[in-house]
Amino acid sequence: MAGSLSDISGKPLWLLAELTYRCPLQCPYCSNPLDIARYQQELGTEDWLRVLREARELGAMQLGFSGGEPLVRRDLETLVAEARRLGYYSNLITSGVGMDAERVARFKEAGLDHIQISFQASDEELNNFLGGTASFRHKLEMARAVKAQGYPMVLNIVLHRRNIDQIEDIIRMTIELEADYVELASTQYYGWSRVNVDALLPTRAQLARAEAIAHDYQARMKDRMKIIYVVPDYFENRPKACMNGWGAVFLTIAPDGSALPCHAASSLPGLSFPNVRDHSVREIWYESDAFNHFRGFDWMPEPCRSCPEKTRDFGGCRCQAYMLTGDATATDPVCDKSPHHGALLADVARIESLSDADAAARPLVFRNMRNSRALAAGDEPSPSPANT
Amino acid sequence: MSAFEPESVPTLKPMFRFQWEPAQDCHVLLYPEGMVRLSGSAGEILKRVDGERSVSAIIAELKAAFAGADLDADVIAFLEQARENGWITV
């Protein structure tokens, strides 16, 4: 949906406000950083209100309230109301846990534009297992409450080896819930999902089947519901245009106030990310070393530097390049021009060769504060969800 | 898809917000996690899509605003495209 952005780069059009990393769910593919336990000092309400004003002055139009679980923040209604006053289109990206019909109505009154609810699966048992908490029935109830209030509703289901074979049931569930948009988003492998990649990466056969079903429903539902199906980029030959370019349109503010060009950027070494407690959003966006570091094309080594496609994909994802090659300036190994592409293919083949039983037997590292601390300390993470 | 009746009334679908963006110097359509930047003429047409004005009223107003320009076909083509994009119902 970001396809229309590339011609208006230069301004932070998209502000992602990660209000907290606290979350009642523990999904093992969470896109939050592994070191969530470090983010105890959350920004206060006044700081967030200032960030919203400053980013809007720079041209931000889309605002995502995200997390963790943004509903954990009791000042969310205040932030939503200010977002509306400032003229943002505001999106609440939530698990649905922490909401009731009354709060859905309060958000509407405050001017929230859209709610996106995640499901982990279409059957209760798997949904609750993957989320590490009994949330399925509540999610159904909240999806109905969101529609009853007249919001546009997006349902987001992250796909991976454990649930992708359910795709038809998942789509049927979203039709029944009258979603306006459905994002069938394959797991991208960063942070928690990278730790769990052996258990989560689907096989090519699974993907081919899922894609055919998704395309069938896309055609069938054309005028009623928009279905977006995203394949895992490990199976592509060209990298994604990550964030539409570094420091081009996206600005993420993490719960502690650090400003990032994408929500995974804190994993990159050698960069010092500025904090909104110390700097204005304008200074951060235009002047900080971090936001200028991979801006444009001058930082690129070969094969990106002389590649005619660099203006299309910007060399792919810096976080993925660092994770898979140890060099954040390298070409994203998803690209078949990367000297590391063969190693990625070999790793995908290794995972694919795991039998279903083997893959299912891999313990899942659930995303929670206990495992975050264990990973930071070099200890063994627990294979079962924490009690919540 | 049938052509529009002159008296039919186009309406912006509720999931879209149409607004002027000073920082972009243009009208935009905002929707869940996305945005469209509109050309000057698209902005002038959508400004008048309010669920009350009919297609013929919109065309008449635009003619008055733009010195009687012959724009019927362009307006119809844009509204058809907007319906095809899922922005409006007619």
Side-chain angles (χ1 to χ4, degrees):
Chain A
M1 280 198 276
S4 59
L5 294 180
S6 54
D7 60 331
I8 41 175
S9 60
K11 295 188 167 103
L13 301 182
W14 233 115
L15 173 62
L16 185 68
E18 293 187 329
L19 299 179
T20 180
Y21 285 149
R22 290 174 285 161
C23 186
L25 270 65
Q26 309 177 47
C27 309
Y29 49 75
C30 182
S31 60
N32 285 158
L34 288 171
D35 59 357
I36 45 173
R38 268 197 329 110
Y39 293 76
Q40 303 296 326
Q41 298 296 317
E42 293 182 2
L43 283 186
T45 311
E46 289 306 316
D47 276 330
W48 275 117
L49 292 173
R50 179 173 55 82
V51 167
L52 297 189
R53 281 195 301 273
E54 290 180 356
R56 181 72 185 135
E57 276 167 25
L58 292 190
M61 291 186 258
Q62 285 283 350
L63 169 62
F65 290 114
S66 177
E69 175 48 71
L71 294 170
V72 170
R73 292 279 300 221
R74 302 318 294 183
D75 56 357
L76 185 53
E77 283 84 338
T78 307
L79 302 180
V80 165
E82 180 68 358
R84 183 69 194 87
R85 198 185 65 76
L86 292 167
Y88 280 105
Y89 192 93
S90 56
N91 307 273
L92 173 61
I93 300 159
T94 178
S95 69
V97 178
M99 211 156 55
D100 54 25
E102 279 165 31
R103 205 171 182 201
V104 175
R106 281 208 301 280
F107 289 138
K108 186 79 185 177
E109 202 173 310
L112 182 68
D113 290 292
H114 145 237
I115 297 182
Q116 173 182 314
I117 298 181
S118 65
F119 279 84
Q120 283 62 48
S122 55
D123 85 73
E124 182 168 4
E125 193 185 348
L126 185 59
N127 181 90
N128 293 350
F129 168 71
L130 291 167
T133 183
S135 60
F136 186 70
R137 288 178 196 203
H138 184 68
K139 283 167 181 283
L140 290 177
E141 207 180 302
M142 287 305 99
R144 292 187 183 111
V146 164
K147 284 303 286 185
Q149 283 291 332
Y151 287 99
M153 180 170 73
V154 176
L155 295 181
N156 175 289
I157 301 93
V158 175
L159 298 177
H160 46 76
R161 188 163 185 162
R162 302 261 178 125
N163 69 357
I164 193 168
D165 293 332
Q166 289 190 349
I167 189 167
E168 186 155 17
D169 287 340
I170 289 171
I171 296 172
R172 284 191 186 144
M173 174 183 76
T174 65
I175 293 171
E176 194 216 316
L177 292 171
E178 300 178 74
D180 298 285
Y181 286 85
V182 178
E183 293 178 0
L184 301 168
S186 291
T187 311
Q188 307 287 327
Y189 293 92
Y190 300 90
W192 295 92
S193 53
R194 181 67 198 174
V195 171
N196 290 307
V197 64
D198 283 8
L200 296 179
L201 190 73
T203 65
R204 270 168 219 273
Q206 282 184 305
L207 281 172
R209 178 179 172 276
E211 198 166 351
I213 294 171
H215 288 162
D216 178 37
Y217 276 92
Q218 276 170 337
R220 261 200 259 177
M221 299 301 294
K222 187 175 169 294
D223 294 320
R224 287 171 52 200
M225 185 169 105
K226 186 162 179 176
I227 300 175
I228 296 141
Y229 177 81
V230 183
V231 301
D233 65 351
Y234 282 13
F235 295 90
E236 306 272 21
N237 294 319
R238 286 289 179 273
K240 55 183 175 277
C242 195
M243 299 294 122
N244 263 51
W246 181 272
V249 288
F250 286 93
L251 170 63
T252 297
I253 308 295
D256 67 346
S258 48
L260 307 166
C262 93
H263 59 274
S266 63
S267 64
L268 293 170
L271 288 175
S272 164
F273 291 102
N275 196 295
V276 295
R277 296 181 211 256
D278 310 319
H279 304 279
S280 71
V281 175
R282 179 179 292 276
E283 285 170 337
I284 288 168
W285 183 258
Y286 288 107
E287 292 163 26
S288 69
D289 291 339
F291 277 76
N292 283 305
H293 202 82
F294 296 113
R295 228 175 217 153
F297 305 99
D298 291 346
W299 57 271
M300 287 179 173
E302 295 293 348
C304 289
R305 177 175 281 274
S306 60
C307 180
E309 293 176 65
K310 68 183 174 189
T311 55
R312 197 182 308 157
D313 58 38
F314 313 103
C317 170
R318 295 306 88 222
C319 302
Q320 185 147 283
Y322 173 67
M323 200 165 45
L324 299 181
T325 74
D327 175 4
T329 68
T331 298
D332 187 333
V334 163
C335 184
D336 64 16
K337 298 180 184 180
S338 159
H340 298 274
H341 186 65
L344 176 60
L345 288 184
D347 200 36
V348 169
R350 175 190 63 80
I351 297 168
E352 279 205 285
S353 73
L354 298 174
S355 68
D356 286 347
D358 278 352
R362 299 273 153 150
L364 287 172
V365 176
F366 286 85
R367 174 254 195 236
N368 54 48
M369 296 298 169
R370 186 184 64 190
N371 280 341
S372 177
R373 285 187 290 267
L375 290 165
D379 295 338
E380 198 61 27
S382 163
S384 57
N387 295 321
T388 50
Chain B
M1 291 237 172
S2 60
F4 302 119
E5 296 296 327
E7 295 316 310
S8 54
V9 176
T11 307
L12 194 64
K13 284 198 189 167
M15 81 164 64
F16 292 92
R17 169 136 35 99
F18 170 78
Q19 69 185 31
W20 174 257
E21 274 297 310
Q24 299 295 335
D25 198 27
C26 68
H27 283 99
V28 294
L29 267 187
L30 301 171
Y31 54 94
E33 296 175 42
M35 55 188 106
V36 179
R37 229 180 151 217
L38 297 164
S39 68
S41 53
E44 287 299 327
I45 299 169
L46 276 184
K47 202 158 58 171
R48 293 167 172 82
V49 170
D50 58 1
E52 291 178 11
R53 290 171 168 89
S54 66
V55 172
S56 61
I58 291 169
I59 290 172
E61 264 194 39
L62 287 165
K63 280 185 171 168
F66 295 96
D70 180 20
L71 39 68
D72 297 49
D74 289 346
V75 174
I76 300 281
F78 173 79
L79 290 174
E80 274 172 2
Q81 187 60 50
R83 180 167 65 179
E84 181 63 23
N85 292 347
W87 301 345
I88 61 169
T89 51
V90 182

